[in-house]
Amino acid sequence: MDKTLQELAAFLHGTLENDNQELRITGVNGLVEAGPTEISFAIPPYVELCHKSRAGAMILAPGERELDRPVIRVGNPKQAFAELLELFRPQEEVERTVSPLAYVAADVKIGKNVAIQPFAVVESGAEIGDNSVIYSHAYIGRHVRVGCDCIIYPQATVRENCIIGNRDILQSGCVIGGDGFGFVTNNGKHNKVQQTGNVILGDDVEVGCNSCIDRATVGSTIVGNGTKMDNLVHLGHNDIVGENNLFVALVGIPGSVTIGNNNTFGGQSATVGHITIGNNNVMAARCGVIRNVDDNQILAGFPAMQHTEWLRQEAKLRKIGDLVKTVKALEKEIKELKQKP
């Protein structure tokens, strides 16, 4: 596939500068990797470096750096780059059939244009919505409801009674509806508490590879529309997560935490259980949240504090070595003074 710059500008609803009518764009690539017939993009702070790229054309925001090559100006260059990736590198089509090598219980309700690949398992009472794809070795438990246009990749597991929304993506190895970590200790023995609830995922949710969302002890663990989870993320039982949250890799949220909308959890950040987190917050990487969080906060450190306060604290900690040297020098000087008559 190749496209003219005019075609790409129209596709992106952007404004073309320095048009080169002879240039045919054959693909899209990163700023460093792009070649003379590919298009790339740049956002701050990398705009100042884009003139060093070999890309034949660039996508930039209005008002950014002028270049000596074709530029398509759009409001959101990163979103435009994502759209071009889908244009030039569309996902491979999956044959929309139910493989005879899959196990599909007799009473499963299957919508239109569904693919169930070899060795997938769909248990009794399950429902699979229109246009969904169940890859090989995926497991769909009893009475699970999978919405329309979902993709469930190999080795993903959806346990009994869980509900998957529309356009959800479950990456390989993730587990939806595993038992919550519930035990009662009696005479030194840990006795399991039956986990009787389920997990409900909203629409447009993505769960990364080997991430786990535990079923509720009673009721439901809920993940709202548009929330995205990276690989190796854990949500505990009875968590209620709002819409459009981002969980970066290795985030751990224990049970009974309520999270609002539009929050970002940096890599390896975590919370204690039974707290409430508001809306529009950012928890920096390795942040440890131990109490309720209001709206519009940027937190860092352990225990979590305002990001500006954490920066000041870190700056002071870096001076401890010099402070120790100063104290030792003062101690030596005082000792010498005491020894004088």
Side-chain angles (χ1 to χ4, degrees):
M1 176 191 293
D2 58 64
K3 296 284 185 181
T4 66
L5 291 166
Q6 295 92 335
E7 288 173 328
L8 294 182
F11 175 77
L12 297 173
H13 305 288
T15 302
L16 177 60
E17 299 175 1
N18 305 328
D19 186 18
N20 181 351
Q21 296 185 1
E22 297 180 357
L23 179 62
R24 307 285 296 190
I25 299 298
T26 60
V28 56
N29 217 326
L31 197 61
V32 175
E33 298 83 3
T37 63
E38 293 180 310
I39 189 169
S40 188
F41 83 107
I43 57 176
Y46 305 107
V47 173
E48 296 304 314
L49 302 175
C50 65
H51 68 284
K52 298 181 180 180
S53 174
R54 296 173 56 245
M58 295 292 300
I59 305 168
L60 297 175
E64 294 288 4
R65 183 189 181 104
E66 299 290 332
L67 291 180
D68 59 351
R69 71 190 79 179
V71 174
I72 298 176
R73 302 281 181 181
V74 297
N76 188 336
K78 195 170 185 179
Q79 176 63 36
F81 182 76
E83 293 174 4
L84 289 184
L85 281 174
E86 293 185 6
L87 177 66
F88 282 99
R89 305 177 187 177
Q91 290 187 342
E92 294 187 10
E93 277 297 317
V94 174
E95 185 179 3
R96 300 300 174 130
T97 60
V98 177
S99 170
L101 296 178
Y103 170 77
V104 180
D107 61 347
V108 171
K109 296 180 180 179
I110 300 176
K112 300 176 183 178
N113 201 37
V114 167
I116 302 179
Q117 292 194 338
F119 310 114
V121 173
V122 184
E123 297 279 16
S124 176
E127 300 179 18
I128 310 297
D130 297 345
N131 305 310
S132 290
V133 178
I134 313 297
Y135 277 85
S136 297
H137 301 286
Y139 175 83
I140 308 298
R142 290 176 177 269
H143 308 293
V144 166
R145 296 210 312 264
V146 176
C148 300
D149 302 290
C150 292
I151 303 175
I152 300 180
Y153 282 105
Q155 307 294 343
T157 296
V158 184
R159 290 274 302 276
E160 59 276 7
N161 301 310
C162 292
I163 299 173
I164 309 300
N166 300 312
R167 300 174 301 279
D168 289 354
I169 299 173
L170 305 184
Q171 298 286 355
S172 295
C174 73
V175 179
I176 309 300
D179 283 356
F181 193 68
F183 298 89
V184 173
T185 302
N186 187 17
N187 296 324
K189 181 181 179 182
H190 305 304
N191 301 295
K192 186 175 181 63
V193 175
Q194 183 69 22
Q195 306 295 293
T196 63
N198 70 344
V199 173
I200 299 175
L201 302 186
D203 297 337
D204 303 298
V205 171
E206 180 162 352
V207 182
C209 296
N210 297 319
S211 291
C212 299
I213 305 176
D214 291 349
R215 68 176 52 249
T217 306
V218 293
S220 299
T221 301
I222 299 173
V223 178
N225 297 339
T227 288
K228 314 294 186 184
M229 296 170 54
D230 197 357
N231 302 335
L232 299 167
V233 172
H234 176 237
L235 296 184
H237 56 194
N238 292 96
D239 285 343
I240 299 177
V241 177
E243 299 183 354
N244 300 314
N245 293 285
L246 295 174
F247 296 87
V248 184
L250 298 168
V251 169
I253 309 294
S256 300
V257 175
T258 299
I259 298 172
N261 304 323
N262 304 305
N263 296 287
T264 298
F265 291 81
Q268 294 187 324
S269 60
T271 75
V272 297
H274 301 272
I275 63 172
T276 297
I277 295 173
N279 306 301
N280 309 310
N281 297 296
V282 175
M283 272 58 69
R286 306 188 76 176
C287 178
V289 182
I290 62 172
R291 58 178 63 89
N292 293 342
V293 177
D294 294 329
D295 297 342
N296 306 309
Q297 307 291 309
I298 301 177
L299 304 178
F302 180 85
M305 64 191 76
Q306 293 296 322
H307 186 250
T308 52
E309 180 184 348
W310 177 79
L311 288 174
R312 286 194 293 267
Q313 178 176 287
E314 287 298 303
K316 293 175 182 177
L317 287 173
R318 293 177 186 274
K319 297 178 181 179
I320 286 180
D322 293 335
L323 181 60
V324 170
K325 292 179 182 178
T326 301
V327 170
K328 287 184 176 179
L330 289 171
E331 288 176 338
K332 181 179 179 182
E333 185 176 346
I334 291 172
K335 183 178 180 179
E336 291 173 349
L337 289 171
K338 286 182 176 180
Q339 292 174 348
K340 290 182 178 180

